[in-house]
Amino acid sequence: MVSLRKPLPPYALLTPGGQRIYLPDLKGKILVLLRDLGLAWALTTRQEELSALEAQAFLLSQEARESPLPLLLDGEGNLIQAIPEQGALIADPFLEVYHLGPVQDAKELLDWVRFVGAQCPECVLPEAEWL
C-alpha cells in the first residue's frame, strides 16, 4: 500500500522492452510517477528544470503506449491505482512519498519537486515513541 511519508513498497515494473525495474533501484534522485499523458507531455517541456532539480520522471501505464517520458508498465495497476487521475506521486531520493495527489500543471509539479528537494532528513528529529 502506498502512503504519504512512508517508503514506496518494493514494486517491480517493466519497461515496454520487457526489462524489469525494481523501484528500490531508482533511489538516489527525486522520483516523479505520473499516470496522466497530458501532464507527462507538459513536463517534457520543462525537462531541463527537472534534471537541474536532480529528479527523474516516469509515466505509468498498464499497457505499452506512446510516451514523452520513460514508460513503466504496471500490468496489475497496483501503483497506478494509488495515484489520482491528473495527479502525481513524488518521492524523495530515499523513496519516501511526499506527495500523492492531484497537480494542476507542470509548474505545480516542479514546485512539489523543489519542496521535496529542500527537505533534509538529517535535520528532522525522529518521531519519538513517547510523543
Side-chain angles (χ1 to χ4, degrees):
M1 174 176 227
V2 179
S3 301
L4 284 174
R5 298 307 305 251
K6 301 286 183 196
L8 268 173
Y11 287 115
L13 304 169
L14 296 174
T15 66
Q19 179 185 1
R20 186 171 180 242
I21 303 293
Y22 189 54
L23 284 182
D25 292 340
L26 297 177
K27 283 183 178 180
K29 289 187 174 185
I30 296 169
L31 178 64
V32 177
L33 298 176
L34 306 172
R35 65 179 282 184
D36 182 74
L37 186 59
L39 191 54
W41 279 107
L43 188 58
T44 59
T45 65
R46 302 183 72 169
Q47 192 67 37
E48 286 184 24
E49 287 177 77
L50 189 68
S51 295
L53 294 168
E54 296 185 24
Q56 54 189 340
F58 298 90
L59 180 66
L60 295 177
S61 180
Q62 286 187 272
E63 68 278 332
R65 64 192 221 180
E66 183 180 338
S67 174
L69 296 172
L71 185 66
L72 293 177
L73 302 177
D74 181 14
E76 295 179 16
N78 295 325
L79 192 52
I80 291 172
Q81 291 174 6
I83 303 171
E85 288 189 37
Q86 297 180 338
L89 182 154
I90 304 173
D92 72 4
F94 305 102
L95 300 185
E96 182 177 328
V97 178
Y98 272 80
H99 180 72
L100 181 61
V103 289
Q104 292 184 0
D105 52 25
K107 180 195 176 306
E108 183 181 357
L109 195 144
L110 288 169
D111 287 344
W112 272 107
V113 170
R114 283 185 195 87
F115 171 78
V116 171
Q119 303 308 301
C120 172
E122 297 84 15
C123 302
V124 178
L125 292 175
E127 293 182 27
E129 292 180 20
W130 46 269
L131 287 179

